[in-house]
Amino acid sequence: TTTLQSIVFPEIAKQINSNYVDIHDYINWTNVKNHYFENVTNIEGKIPKRFIISNELLFSYSWEFLFIERSLEIMKKNFQPDTIILITIRNPLDLLNSIYIEKCIHEMRGLSPQDFFYKSNSCIEKKGRFNKYFNLNNFSYLKLINLYKSYFHTVKVVKFENIEFLNEIYKIFNNKNEKLISTYTNTNKSIKSKNTIKLYLKIYRI
């Protein structure tokens, strides 16, 4: 788990009298193939009214933008439009470089960037390649943001490179709105524990 998931957001939940929710307590992990909530409807009605949820696979399976439309449809079945979205974006080159380093350098797989990254419209081609390669198709922060704006009433965007990144997150979590989903693409050694931080979906209702 990242520092944000294991320390920052649980602490924020305490400060605003909310609940940091571990989604593993509400789903059957063994049946999950592509998305945590793929076999669930209205998870919002099963968790505490005041909540924060954070997990990278809520944004898209394996962090690939190829699946963002499908992931959003699943999210729409589980959260109301008045849930607030916080999208924290990182420089795309830094993000992809970090993904490559984690998957190919840290795991000692020895693939070149040219071999690791590929682009395809086909989900079928993805079979057998999960966690081995990275599909660049559909990679667009703008498209991701607009997708969430098409359903959720409030979508906020924060740049991870901004030195006030954590302060901005604290401000958003301390507003008076009922609930928020936060999504972000980050990998930064200064605020990580064991794993790199990529794209997460955080949901909270206060």
Side-chain angles (χ1 to χ4, degrees):
T1 58
T2 68
T3 300
L4 284 175
Q5 288 177 312
S6 61
I7 299 176
V8 175
F9 288 106
E11 182 60 31
I12 291 176
K14 292 179 183 178
Q15 292 184 17
I16 64 174
N17 193 29
S18 186
N19 301 277
Y20 186 77
V21 174
D22 184 349
I23 58 178
H24 294 88
D25 294 336
Y26 296 88
I27 61 171
N28 185 348
W29 170 247
T30 59
N31 293 331
V32 172
K33 295 181 179 179
N34 298 312
H35 194 284
Y36 278 113
F37 300 145
E38 63 187 18
N39 301 314
V40 182
T41 301
N42 191 29
I43 189 70
E44 189 176 336
K46 301 176 176 66
I47 59 180
K49 184 176 180 180
R50 300 162 63 87
F51 63 84
I52 297 175
I53 296 176
S54 174
N55 189 280
E56 57 270 33
L57 295 184
L58 296 183
F59 137 70
S60 181
Y61 195 44
S62 74
W63 309 296
E64 293 184 340
F65 283 66
L66 182 67
F67 304 102
I68 58 177
E69 291 94 344
R70 184 171 64 189
S71 294
L72 178 61
E73 289 305 310
I74 294 173
M75 295 300 294
K76 287 164 63 174
K77 294 178 181 179
N78 284 279
F79 298 96
Q80 296 299 313
D82 60 344
T83 303
I84 300 172
I85 306 298
L86 167 63
I87 301 177
T88 307
I89 57 176
R90 188 184 182 189
N91 181 296
L93 291 179
D94 291 338
L95 171 67
L96 295 175
N97 181 61
S98 180
I99 292 173
Y100 171 75
I101 290 174
E102 180 183 357
K103 295 298 181 182
C104 294
I105 306 301
H106 290 174
E107 296 179 8
M108 305 290 289
R109 290 176 45 227
L111 287 174
S112 69
Q114 292 81 0
D115 292 329
F116 176 66
F117 295 106
Y118 74 105
K119 192 171 184 179
S120 172
N121 292 320
S122 174
C123 293
I124 297 177
E125 183 176 334
K126 185 63 181 153
K127 292 182 178 179
R129 305 188 71 169
F130 179 54
N131 282 338
K132 295 181 180 180
Y133 302 89
F134 190 89
N135 193 343
L136 292 171
N137 194 57
N138 216 28
F139 190 104
S140 169
Y141 289 159
L142 181 60
K143 183 170 185 177
L144 175 69
I145 293 167
N146 287 336
L147 272 175
Y148 279 90
K149 284 184 175 180
S150 71
Y151 176 73
F152 295 102
H153 298 164
T154 304
V155 177
K156 298 177 180 291
V157 180
V158 176
K159 291 184 178 180
F160 182 71
E161 285 79 10
N162 185 344
I163 195 170
E164 299 295 328
F165 166 68
L166 289 179
N167 288 338
E168 289 297 318
I169 288 181
Y170 270 101
K171 289 178 183 177
I172 292 172
F173 274 102
N174 276 287
N175 65 29
K176 299 300 181 182
N177 293 290
E178 286 238 333
K179 43 189 180 172
L180 169 99
I181 296 180
S182 171
T183 308
Y184 55 100
T185 61
N186 307 318
T187 47
N188 190 293
K189 293 181 179 179
S190 65
I191 60 168
K192 77 173 186 178
S193 51
K194 293 183 179 179
N195 299 327
T196 51
I197 302 166
K198 293 193 179 65
L199 186 64
Y200 295 80
L201 209 55
K202 267 152 321 292
I203 305 151
Y204 97 70
R205 180 197 308 211
I206 59 174

